[in-house]
Amino acid sequence: MTQSSSGISGFIIMDATTESSHRPFSIKLWPPSQSTRLMLVERMTKNLSSPSIFSRKYGLLSEEEAGENAKQIEETAFSAASEHFEKEPDSDGSSAVQLYAKESSKLMLEVLKRGPQQEGKEDLLSNGGPISTFFDISGGKRAFIEADEAQDLLKPLAVPGNSYTKICFSNRSFGIGAARLVEPILAALKDQITDVDLSDFIAGRPEAEALEVMTIFAEALQGSVLRSLNLSNNALGEKGVRAFGELLKSQSRLEELYLMNDGISEEAARAVCELIPSTENLRILHFHNNMTGDEGASAISEVVKRSASLEDFRCSSTRVGSDGGVALAEALEVCSNLKKLDLRDNMFGMEAGKALSKTISCFKGLTEVYLSYLNLEDEGTIALANALKNSAPSLEVLEMAGNDITIVAAPVVAACIAEKQCLSKLNLSENELKDEGAIKIANGLEEGHEQLKEVDMSTNSLRRAGARKLAQTVVSKPDFVLLNVNGNFISDEGIEEVKEILKAGKKGLGVLASLDENDPEGEEDDDEKSEGENEVAEEDEGLLESKLGGLKVDE
């Protein structure tokens, strides 16, 4: 057994597929399978009950006590990691895995230092509170659940005096029989439950059965005082939203609400607005991957107007156009505490972009902003970049991929990011910045930016000069982990030059993303190539700078 507290992390041995990497993932690493979770419990049990320097000082835990603690530790760590992953649903899950391991290691150390407890006493962490408050049946493959299996799975919830405050029934599809069995259990616990996750819990059920199951759960939990409610991945539509009506109407202190991938149309969005009477405490509202449209966005904007405490708003992939974008932008004016804004993959266009620029200056505490694939073009991008330049001093993440941004907007974007010394991630992929724009962006990152970790300039028609300048800029950043210049037209010589530059850095070639889609032979149409661009390809950066010098940056 590892003999120092710094080695506690060595207890957490995950599958090889969970190792952290800075390359793009094609699979999700979170959540782990039920077999992986059980394996971790077994390993922690063995380590907790094995002789060590801790057992010599604090006493040796019995195998039974070690096993109980291991289960509680795993549940707590899994809960923390799942909450983390919920906030980053588009990630590969590697950061959730790391948190899972870190939390497990930390709690193991606390148990080891606490030593064995007297028989009959509740297992406690050093803070004096119960270890296990989270009940979760979401592990393993998605499966149907009927009454017999539900009765067995839910036994811990039926134990009088249990300490569960958080429940997760995700990834199991409940039939009516199982729902009827759950109903009295939830009704008995509703005064102590604060967090409910009912995401993806009716998959594959006929509509009539699904609606009845949702109604049963809603009525059982009616009157509870929830802090967090997750109804994602349930294809709700208006009927589904109204099936949860009794639960939604009874909530007055919600802090987190997740309605992602629920098929929420204009009518369903209006139902959401109608059925939630109070959102004054709401800090997180995630409304991703729905078919809301402009009229639905107007309904959601009414919810936002009542949510002055909002810190994290996600309304991505919701088919919102210019009118809906303007409505959301204007509604967000009341949310002065906003820290994270995600509006990716909508059809805002320039007008909604400009409307948002007027609002975004209100968000002094903004740390993450995701504005990719909004059809902003140069005009909308310039408006937003100028607004961000003079606000959000602690901005850490800026994403504006896929917005048809050209060299026209590059100086303004560069001036903006030059002011963001806390920036850790910049994504400007799938634009038309070319070498001129890339060099401007690199210049904006040159001074300071010690926290910079990732830059994505893939698919920007870059050639040798732009790629080289980016590499020269990021190689000196102490925490840098990923440079993505894939999908461009970088020559073989240019690629070798980039590699040579990066080899001198702290982490070497490990920071360079795959170049499998780079086309060294790729050329633009002759009528799109100016003499100046050809000279750039021959490394004349001085000419580039002189060409860019006259472009105006709005103050």
Side-chain angles (χ1 to χ4, degrees), residues 151-401:
Q151 186 170 22
D152 185 55
L153 276 175
L154 304 178
K155 279 182 180 178
L157 285 179
V159 175
N162 71 69
S163 58
Y164 293 114
T165 59
K166 302 178 182 181
I167 58 173
C168 177
F169 290 161
S170 180
N171 207 38
R172 299 296 179 95
S173 181
F174 282 77
I176 292 176
R180 290 295 182 195
L181 189 145
V182 173
E183 184 177 17
I185 297 175
L186 291 183
L189 293 176
K190 67 181 180 182
D191 289 338
Q192 72 186 57
I193 293 175
T194 60
D195 297 65
V196 173
D197 185 344
L198 298 178
S199 60
D200 192 21
F201 85 124
I202 52 165
R205 301 289 181 180
E207 180 181 285
E209 182 179 15
L211 290 171
E212 185 171 350
V213 168
M214 287 187 275
T215 301
I216 291 170
F217 274 79
E219 291 178 351
L221 290 167
Q222 180 185 359
S224 57
V225 183
L226 298 183
R227 186 194 68 87
S228 175
L229 178 61
N230 190 344
L231 301 178
S232 301
N233 303 312
N234 282 313
L236 297 177
E238 182 184 8
K239 292 180 182 179
V241 171
R242 294 196 179 280
F244 278 111
E246 295 306 314
L247 173 59
L248 293 173
K249 284 189 291 187
S250 69
Q251 300 307 306
S252 60
R253 297 177 62 181
L254 268 182
E255 296 180 22
E256 301 179 12
L257 178 61
Y258 303 90
L259 295 168
M260 300 185 289
N261 194 30
D262 276 331
I264 294 182
S265 61
E266 171 189 335
E267 294 78 10
R270 288 174 177 165
V272 170
C273 181
E274 170 194 334
L275 293 171
I276 304 180
S278 173
T279 56
E280 61 184 19
N281 295 315
L282 201 63
R283 295 183 301 102
I284 299 175
L285 176 58
H286 281 196
F287 201 75
H288 166 70
N289 197 29
N290 287 298
M291 49 186 184
T292 311
D294 281 348
E295 293 300 322
S298 296
I300 295 303
S301 70
E302 294 301 315
V303 177
V304 172
K305 287 178 183 178
R306 305 196 301 259
S307 308
S309 299
L310 206 60
E311 298 176 5
D312 181 347
F313 179 56
R314 185 178 190 192
C315 193
S316 51
S317 302
T318 48
R319 306 183 186 181
V320 177
S322 181
D323 291 344
V326 171
L328 287 171
E330 292 175 349
L332 284 165
E333 289 181 359
V334 304
C335 306
S336 58
N337 297 318
L338 203 68
K339 297 178 181 178
K340 183 176 178 180
L341 177 63
D342 186 348
L343 299 171
R344 282 174 287 188
D345 190 23
N346 284 299
M347 299 171 284
F348 277 26
M350 292 181 290
E351 292 306 316
K354 288 190 287 187
L356 183 61
S357 71
K358 297 175 183 178
T359 300
I360 212 164
S361 59
C362 302
F363 309 144
K364 303 301 182 183
L366 196 65
T367 58
E368 300 178 37
V369 59
Y370 302 88
L371 303 174
S372 297
Y373 309 106
L374 293 177
N375 298 326
L376 296 174
E377 301 184 31
D378 286 328
E379 190 174 346
T381 300
I382 288 171
L384 282 162
N386 275 322
L388 282 169
K389 178 186 175 184
N390 299 310
S391 61
S394 300
L395 192 67
E396 298 172 10
V397 177
L398 175 60
E399 292 198 5
M400 301 183 80

